Amino acid sequence: MSDKSVRDCEPEQDKLLLKRFIAGEAQAFDSLVKKYWSQVYFVCLKYLKKPECAADAAQEAFVAVFSSLETFDFSRSFKPWLLKIAINKAIRLQRNNRSALSLNVEHAEVSDASYDPAGTFAGKQLLDDCLERLCLDDQILLMLRHSLDLSYEEMAIVLDKPVGSVKGELFRTRRKLKDALNIFYGKEVEAGV
Amino acid sequence: MSDNSCSQSGLIQEFLDAQTDKMLKSRLDAHLKECPTCRKEFAEFESLFQSLGKSLKIPETCPDSALMAKMRKEVAAKRPDSKDSPLAWFERLFAVFFRPALVLAVVLLIFSFVIIRSRSTLKPDMTTPVLSHSSLNLEKNEVDVVFSLDSDSVKVGNKLIKVAELKSFEAGPAYALPESSVVVLRSDASKIKLTKAARFRLARNSFELLNGHADFSLKGDHKDFELKTDFATVSVIGTEFEAQVANNQLSVKLSGGKIVVKTTNGSVMQLDKPMQSVVVDRQGSFVEISETNKNGALPAVSGQPDRGPADSDSGGNLENTF
């Protein structure tokens, strides 16, 4: 997780760059694209699976956002708005492609899990497998929180849901993930739950 | 699947999401001291959060220069204030100026069309007297109905009344006036006296007596004016006469001047001698023709004038009941 003070400054820095772009400074566009390209690209990749499709969706999102800055509410943060538009673009492309598949961890069988007697979640391969078996919505929730460092409020904006719902879904997803990992490590049996 | 039944278990994930919240930390610390289940869960979630942080960390990437250039170009083309594209500049000009101007022009066109239409319906035919004003004075027991060639206003007594005021009068369906109400036609000297039971309808240049008794005293040129009834039409040329509609008959008595009575079946009779009178029945036949009448009364029409319900008004006409 990044430092909170840095995170608090980000929205103001973004708005400054946006105002400079509106004033005609092309360099501000480059700065913002470079700053958020990775986040936008990987969110799109989560939906679309194919790198070239993700790049297309990310490109469309940036063009859409910078073409319609007149509709941007400067009292709000830029990042959630950008990610919301990116996700919408990705979902639209995903509908066209129909290539994305999702599995639910509750119904998945993990055959290559190795028991970790230390009782930690350090087994990265196992965690990655479990994450891949989560449904897409759960994966996006975790990504927004742990990869993109969004607050509950920002996640609510991106996903267009109430903050309480987002928070509840996030908590349930992480608990589901923890329980799945516990099963694979046999901790559930040890605890006698 | 495990299920932490502790009511405070939600604090763990909330705290791990925002570790700088001191209030939350103190609450959680206090709870963890007392709750072994949550202590164990805290350790598990803490480990999970660390693992998720590592596992979900996204690598830093950048679009290549070609992609950046493409995006710059697309944004420049779509930006409303783009200076690169003359077409975009024109579109903006259209959006800012021409589109509202177009809408305004259409609205003005429709508005002027409506105004012209309404004026053309109000503007009188210059050769035909039209009903331009009617007024009702209950204190004087008078109703004035004025025909005029003036399209803008009409003089009633010493008062100049705008034609537009007619609109307010048109809404009134019926008026109950005492006997001897006066209807003024074209000039103050031309009058029609109506009995209380008289019902009439005013068209553009005619007076339609539906029921009751009316005395006409018309001076000046009234060649375009007609008295209409269900049975006959009386054309008037500077004259005085009485008319009464009752019991499906029209009685007309001439006092002076000249009138022509044309019935619905095509019979025509001219009255040009004072005290001449005729009675016309429903079929349009002259049932009684009298040269003189000593007591000056109208030829006998049995019974009082009918007071039946008003006929349905035809468009643009005005119907009153007395």
Side-chain angles (χ1 to χ4, degrees):
Chain A
M1 193 183 293
S2 63
D3 184 56
K4 188 175 183 291
S5 59
V6 174
R7 203 173 76 179
D8 288 346
C9 290
E10 268 187 3
E12 292 313 312
Q13 291 171 350
D14 291 348
K15 285 172 196 171
L16 197 62
L17 284 168
L18 288 172
K19 282 174 183 168
R20 280 165 55 191
F21 170 75
I22 290 169
E25 194 179 318
Q27 192 60 39
F29 172 78
D30 291 14
S31 303
L32 281 164
V33 172
K34 284 173 184 167
K35 182 178 179 183
Y36 287 116
W37 178 263
S38 293
Q39 302 188 23
V40 170
Y41 170 78
F42 281 103
V43 167
C44 293
L45 187 63
K46 186 60 76 181
Y47 282 93
L48 297 164
K49 312 296 180 194
K50 294 178 182 171
E52 62 274 18
C53 295
D56 285 347
Q59 181 191 330
E60 277 187 31
F62 277 107
V63 170
V65 162
F66 282 93
S67 303
S68 58
L69 279 180
E70 286 68 26
T71 62
F72 175 60
D73 179 1
F74 272 84
S75 65
R76 308 184 83 165
S77 298
F78 172 69
K79 185 174 165 182
W81 186 54
L82 169 66
L83 288 168
K84 185 178 179 177
I85 289 174
I87 286 176
N88 287 339
K89 295 279 178 195
I91 289 172
R92 195 172 54 77
L93 278 176
Q94 185 199 38
R95 283 196 192 117
N96 294 342
N97 296 343
R98 292 284 172 204
S99 61
L101 297 171
S102 65
L103 285 172
N104 194 312
V105 72
E106 288 175 342
H107 307 297
E109 290 181 11
V110 181
S111 56
D112 59 350
S114 55
Y115 179 64
D116 182 357
T120 67
F121 299 135
K124 189 173 182 307
Q125 184 60 48
L126 177 62
L127 180 60
D128 288 347
D129 286 344
C130 287
L131 285 169
E132 280 303 307
R133 281 156 167 53
L134 285 171
C135 72
L136 183 59
D137 287 347
D138 290 348
Q139 288 186 45
I140 293 294
L141 270 174
L142 292 175
M143 188 174 192
L144 293 179
R145 180 68 203 96
H146 293 278
S147 305
L148 310 186
D149 199 25
L150 295 187
S151 65
Y152 301 143
E153 290 76 16
E154 289 172 329
M155 290 170 74
I157 292 169
V158 172
L159 299 172
D160 208 11
K161 288 177 179 176
V163 176
S165 304
V166 168
K167 202 167 145 185
E169 286 171 25
L170 179 67
F171 285 12
R172 276 194 296 277
T173 301
R174 283 193 297 223
R175 180 173 291 280
K176 196 159 62 177
L177 191 63
K178 180 177 79 69
D179 291 342
L181 290 165
N182 276 347
I183 290 168
F184 296 131
Y185 287 124
K187 292 189 75 172
E188 190 88 359
V189 179
E190 280 182 22
V193 179
Chain B
M1 189 186 287
S2 71
D3 183 17
N4 186 348
S5 56
C6 179
S7 62
Q8 301 293 309
S9 67
L11 285 177
I12 297 168
Q13 293 197 56
E14 200 164 347
F15 169 73
L16 289 170
D17 275 326
Q19 291 189 356
T20 51
D21 191 330
K22 288 177 183 170
M23 285 278 288
L24 198 62
K25 186 174 189 317
S26 60
R27 272 178 66 196
L28 184 65
D29 284 345
H31 177 68
L32 290 180
K33 280 179 188 168
E34 297 167 358
C35 181
T37 312
C38 284
R39 271 205 301 276
K40 175 176 160 289
E41 191 152 73
F42 180 81
E44 289 173 352
F45 270 122
E46 196 172 32
S47 179
L48 176 68
F49 272 59
Q50 286 170 2
S51 300
L52 283 172
K54 288 175 193 165
S55 189
L56 294 176
K57 189 173 171 53
I58 53 173
E60 283 296 322
T61 58
C62 256
D64 58 34
S65 55
L67 187 56
M68 280 296 291
K70 191 181 168 193
M71 282 193 284
R72 267 189 232 116
K73 194 176 172 186
E74 284 186 30
V75 169
K78 289 185 178 178
R79 288 281 300 162
D81 57 353
S82 168
K83 296 180 180 67
D84 297 341
S85 164
L87 190 66
W89 187 86
F90 179 77
E91 280 174 1
R92 191 184 177 207
L93 191 69
F94 181 81
V96 170
F97 178 71
F98 289 117
R99 199 181 297 162
L102 193 67
V103 170
L104 191 65
V106 170
V107 169
L108 282 175
L109 197 69
I110 294 168
F111 186 69
S112 22
F113 180 72
V114 170
I115 292 291
I116 289 167
R117 279 294 298 272
S118 58
R119 273 179 170 262
S120 68
T121 54
L122 283 175
K123 195 172 181 180
D125 180 351
M126 294 306 286
T127 60
T128 310
V130 297
L131 175 66
S132 60
H133 175 73
S134 307
S135 70
L136 184 68
N137 188 333
L138 291 172
E139 287 180 5
K140 291 184 179 176
N141 294 331
E142 282 183 355
V143 56
D144 291 345
V145 183
V146 179
F147 291 82
S148 173
L149 293 172
D150 188 345
S151 61
D152 294 326
S153 61
V154 64
K155 197 174 180 184
V156 177
N158 294 324
K159 197 175 175 187
L160 197 67
I161 297 168
K162 288 186 178 177
V163 171
E165 291 178 20
L166 179 63
K167 289 178 183 173
S168 62
F169 192 77
E170 283 179 333
Y175 301 90
L177 280 183
E179 202 168 354
S180 301
S181 296
V182 177
V183 177
V184 179
L185 293 175
R186 280 219 254 187
S187 65
D188 290 335
S190 301
K191 294 183 179 179
I192 303 171
K193 291 182 180 176
L194 298 167
T195 60
K196 193 173 183 179
R199 283 192 300 119
F200 67 91
R201 179 186 294 147
L202 287 166
R204 283 173 64 85
N205 60 339
S206 67
F207 184 95
E208 191 170 348
L209 187 65
L210 304 173
N211 187 36
H213 188 147
D215 293 341
F216 290 82
S217 174
L218 307 174
K219 292 175 183 172
D221 182 12
H222 295 284
K223 64 182 179 184
D224 294 318
F225 178 77
E226 290 178 331
L227 165 68
K228 288 181 176 175
T229 68
D230 287 342
F231 330 116
T233 300
V234 182
S235 299
V236 181
I237 304 167
T239 192
E240 288 185 26
F241 67 99
E242 293 175 55
Q244 179 175 327
V245 177
N247 296 337
N248 292 325
Q249 287 185 333
L250 163 69
S251 302
V252 181
K253 188 182 84 173
L254 185 68
S255 303
K258 185 165 71 176
I259 59 174
V260 175
V261 181
K262 186 177 181 182
T263 68
T264 49
N265 68 8
S267 304
V268 177
M269 180 167 289
Q270 181 173 302
L271 307 185
D272 51 9
K273 294 173 186 168
M275 308 313 285
Q276 265 190 315
S277 62
V278 291
V279 176
V280 184
D281 68 8
R282 197 168 214 10
Q283 286 71 41
S285 304
F286 292 104
V287 294
E288 186 180 332
I289 302 164
S290 170
E291 287 299 317
T292 54
N293 190 326
K294 286 178 183 174
N295 58 16
L298 278 173
V301 173
S302 57
Q304 292 299 310
D306 293 342
R307 304 195 63 169
D311 295 348
S312 61
D313 201 3
S314 57
N317 288 356
L318 179 69
E319 184 176 318
N320 283 357
T321 304
F322 293 88

